[in-house]
Amino acid sequence: MRKWKWNRKKPPIFPLLVLILLLFIAFSILHSEHTIQLIHENPDHGRSHQEISPSTLVKPNLSGHFKRAPEVLDRFSRCNSTVEYSGRKIAWLGDSRQSGGRSVRPESCDVFSGKWVFDNVSHPLYNESDCPYMSDQLACHKHGRSDLGYQYWRWQPHNCNLKRWNLKEMWEKLRGKRLMFVGDSLNRGQWISMVCLLQSVIPADKRSMSPNAHLTIFRAEEYNATVEFLWAPLLAESNSDDPVNHRLDERIIRPDSVLRHSSLWEHADILVFNTYLWWRQGPVKLLWTDEKNGACEKLDGRGAMELAMGSWADWVSSNVDPIKKRVFFVTMSPTHLWSREWKPGSEGNCYGEKDPIDFEGYWGSGSDLPTMSTVEKILSNLGSKVSVINITQLSEYRKDGHPSIFRKFWEPLRPEQLSNPPSYSDCIHWCLPGVPDVWNELLFHFL
C-alpha cells in the first residue's frame, strides 16, 4: 500500500489562498447578518459608542444649589423667547451611558400575556353605584350606558393565574402605609378604581376624602392608611400642574427637575407612577433650571418625555431603597380612536363597541412603540428599584371599555357634535368598574 509522505512535497499555494479567502468571506457575511439582527433588536446599536460631550449633560434635581431659586411654573408662565433644542441630555445616576445598567430577573410566569375571559360571576369586583367616590367622567352606567358587558371581563394569563383579589389582605398590606398614585388622568382613574375596590369595608365615619387638589387623599382610620393621588401628568415640573386648570396652548416643563412633585411623594411607602398621553399632544417647551432669561427650547414630545423621565429616574435611583419603599411604573394606556385598525373599512372609533378585540397580539396606533422602547430602556437601568406593570397589550384588546359618550362632559356639546356621537366620544379614559380594576389586580399580585 502506498504511503503519503507529507514532508516530501510542499502543498500548492494557490488552493490554500482560495480557502482562506472563502473563510474570510463567510465570516464577513455572518458578522454582517449578526450586526443587522442587533440593529433590529436594538435601534441604538452602532451608536452606543458615541460619547456625549460633558457640556451637554445636565445633572438633574439640583434646584437648591442655585443662588436664586428658579421661578415656580404655573398656568400663567410664559417663555420670553423660543430657540431650537440645544441637545442637552439628563445625566442620571444609573444611566447605562455611565454605569452599564443592571439586569432584571424575569417573573416565572408572564401575567401580562393572556386573554380576556367573560366572567359575570366574580366580576365586577364592586358596583358603580356603591362607590361614593366614583368620578362622573368614568361612571358610564350612570350616564346612560345600558350594555354592562364591559364590567364582566376578567384577565386570564396564559400559563398561570393572577392572585385573586382579597379586600382584607390588601388592607393588611396597606396598614400603617401611604399608597400614592402619581401621574395624569389615567392614573387618577386607577386611583379611583383602587378607592372603590377598598372603601366598602371601612365604616363611613372612619373614612374621609380630602377635596380635589394637587394631592388628594383617601384616609382609612382603622388601618392608619391612605390611598392618595398626586397630579403630575409630566412627572417633571410644568405649567400644567394645576389639577383643574391645565388646558394650555403652550406646554412648558423644567426637564431637569421633579423636585416640586417629589417633595410630596418622597415619604409614601408605595408609589405608582405613569406618564404618556400628555407627551403626544405636540411639541413641548423646555425651560432649564439654570436658564436666567426665560428662553425656552422647543422639542418633540417623545424627546421631552425622555428628558423628564431621566430626571424622574435620577430621583428613584438616588432615593429608593426597594426594601423600604416599593415603586411601580404603569406602562402606557392605549387609545382606540380609529376603528379601521380593528375593523378594516370602517370610519368610526370606540363608540358603539361592546366586545374586546379577539386577535391576540393586536397593536393599534394608540400605543406608540418607539415611546415604549424609550421607556423600557430607562426602566431597565433602574433594576430592582422599580417594578413594571405592563398594562399596554392587555388594554389594547379593550376597545369596548371606554366611556365614549357615556360620561359627564365639562363643556356644553354643540348641536353638530350631538348629531354625530363618534365626534365627541371619549376613547381615552376607561369606564369603572372596568379595565383599571385589572391594573389594580396586577398591583395586588405584585405586592
Side-chain angles (χ1 to χ4, degrees):
M1 188 169 93
R2 183 178 180 184
K3 295 182 180 180
W4 292 97
K5 296 183 179 180
W6 295 98
N7 59 338
R8 289 191 177 181
K9 189 176 182 180
K10 293 182 181 181
I13 296 176
F14 181 74
L16 183 60
L17 290 174
V18 171
L19 178 62
I20 292 173
L21 180 61
L22 289 174
L23 288 173
F24 175 78
I25 292 172
F27 174 79
S28 299
I29 292 172
L30 289 173
H31 178 72
S32 298
E33 289 178 348
H34 178 66
T35 303
I36 291 170
Q37 182 179 0
L38 285 175
I39 291 172
H40 280 291
E41 293 174 353
N42 178 12
D44 292 326
H45 179 78
R47 296 183 292 164
S48 59
H49 297 294
Q50 294 179 352
E51 293 186 2
I52 298 176
S53 169
S55 63
T56 65
L57 290 176
V58 178
K59 184 70 178 78
N61 305 317
L62 295 177
S63 297
H65 292 251
F66 293 94
K67 292 182 179 180
R68 183 179 178 183
E71 178 186 353
V72 174
L73 292 179
D74 59 28
R75 61 194 179 97
F76 302 108
S77 298
R78 296 291 183 271
C79 298
N80 291 337
S81 61
T82 302
V83 298
E84 292 301 312
Y85 174 50
S86 64
R88 300 171 85 182
K89 299 290 185 181
I90 300 297
W92 57 276
L93 183 65
D95 190 344
S96 60
R97 288 193 300 254
Q98 303 169 67
S99 68
R102 292 180 293 274
S103 60
V104 181
R105 187 176 64 182
E107 292 293 321
S108 57
C109 174
D110 183 2
V111 296
F112 308 118
S113 176
K115 62 181 180 179
W116 289 94
V117 176
F118 190 81
D119 180 357
N120 60 359
V121 176
S122 66
H123 284 61
L125 298 174
Y126 58 89
N127 293 317
E128 177 190 299
S129 59
D130 292 339
C131 182
Y133 309 105
M134 179 62 66
S135 167
D136 275 329
Q137 189 181 27
L138 311 175
C140 301
H141 181 50
K142 174 183 176 181
H143 289 278
R145 183 166 182 175
S146 58
D147 65 295
L148 300 182
Y150 66 92
Q151 299 184 3
Y152 300 127
W153 293 94
R154 171 175 57 82
W155 180 249
Q156 177 60 56
H158 283 313
N159 300 312
C160 56
N161 293 312
L162 272 182
K163 184 179 176 67
R164 184 177 292 274
W165 173 258
N166 186 306
L167 183 53
K168 294 284 189 179
E169 183 180 346
M170 185 61 177
W171 270 121
E172 288 302 328
K173 292 177 182 292
L174 296 179
R175 184 181 290 276
K177 291 183 171 61
R178 295 176 63 190
L179 166 61
M180 186 184 294
F181 294 81
V182 181
D184 58 21
S185 58
L186 290 158
N187 215 20
R188 180 164 55 197
Q190 187 176 355
W191 166 70
I192 293 171
S193 162
M194 181 62 80
V195 171
C196 290
L197 285 164
L198 290 171
Q199 60 85 31
S200 63
V201 296
I202 308 297
D205 61 344
K206 299 293 183 182
R207 67 188 188 215
S208 63
M209 178 74 80
S210 69
N212 183 32
H214 187 200
L215 178 64
T216 309
I217 303 173
F218 174 78
R219 192 180 307 276
E221 293 182 18
E222 180 181 348
Y223 291 91
N224 187 30
T226 59
V227 183
E228 310 175 32
F229 173 70
L230 177 63
W231 174 260
L234 302 165
L235 295 185
E237 181 184 345
S238 78
N239 66 340
S240 301
D241 290 338
D242 187 305
V244 178
N245 299 309
H246 48 247
R247 295 184 180 182
L248 306 171
D249 294 332
E250 184 179 65
R251 188 144 296 146
I252 305 171
I253 69 166
R254 288 204 190 279
D256 55 338
S257 180
V258 299
L259 295 180
R260 180 182 181 186
H261 302 310
S262 66
S263 64
L264 295 172
W265 78 48
E266 63 183 346
H267 297 300
D269 301 283
I270 305 167
L271 285 161
V272 183
F273 292 95
N274 93 314
T275 187
Y276 167 57
L277 191 64
W278 281 52
W279 301 106
R280 302 197 77 192
Q281 299 179 15
V284 178
K285 302 290 183 68
L286 313 177
L287 185 59
W288 297 91
T289 301
D290 62 0
E291 171 56 43
K292 299 177 181 178
N293 299 315
C296 296
E297 298 176 6
K298 188 176 180 179
L299 183 61
D300 65 273
R302 184 157 64 94
M305 179 182 182
E306 184 174 5
L307 295 175
M309 283 208 64
S311 297
W312 168 81
D314 176 77
W315 184 91
V316 172
S317 185
S318 303
N319 294 278
V320 171
D321 178 350
I323 296 177
K324 298 178 180 179
K325 188 189 296 287
R326 295 295 305 275
V327 176
F328 295 88
F329 189 89
V330 179
T331 62
M332 66 180 67
S333 172
T335 59
H336 293 89
L337 304 177
W338 313 103
S339 63
R340 60 177 176 266
E341 294 180 349
W342 61 84
K343 191 187 301 179
S346 64
E347 291 299 328
N349 51 27
C350 72
Y351 174 73
E353 296 292 344
K354 298 181 179 180
D355 296 297
I357 294 169
D358 60 3
F359 172 64
E360 185 170 357
Y362 168 82
W363 287 105
S365 62
S367 296
D368 184 64
L369 299 183
T371 299
M372 292 174 66
S373 177
T374 298
V375 172
E376 182 181 6
K377 186 187 304 181
I378 293 172
L379 295 176
S380 66
N381 287 330
L382 288 169
S384 62
K385 290 180 181 285
V386 176
S387 298
V388 179
I389 300 181
N390 189 352
I391 67 165
T392 307
Q393 179 79 87
L394 65 90
S395 303
E396 271 280 13
Y397 301 129
R398 294 302 306 275
K399 59 181 172 60
D400 61 310
H402 299 286
S404 65
I405 66 172
F406 303 109
R407 50 157 287 189
K408 180 178 179 179
F409 290 91
W410 312 117
E411 299 175 355
L413 295 169
R414 300 186 302 275
E416 59 268 26
Q417 289 178 303
L418 293 172
S419 64
N420 182 20
S423 69
Y424 68 96
S425 287
D426 180 353
C427 299
I428 295 173
H429 301 94
W430 302 93
C431 296
L432 290 179
V435 174
D437 301 327
V438 173
W439 304 349
N440 283 321
E441 287 184 272
L442 290 164
L443 177 61
F444 174 67
H445 178 88
F446 288 108
L447 282 174

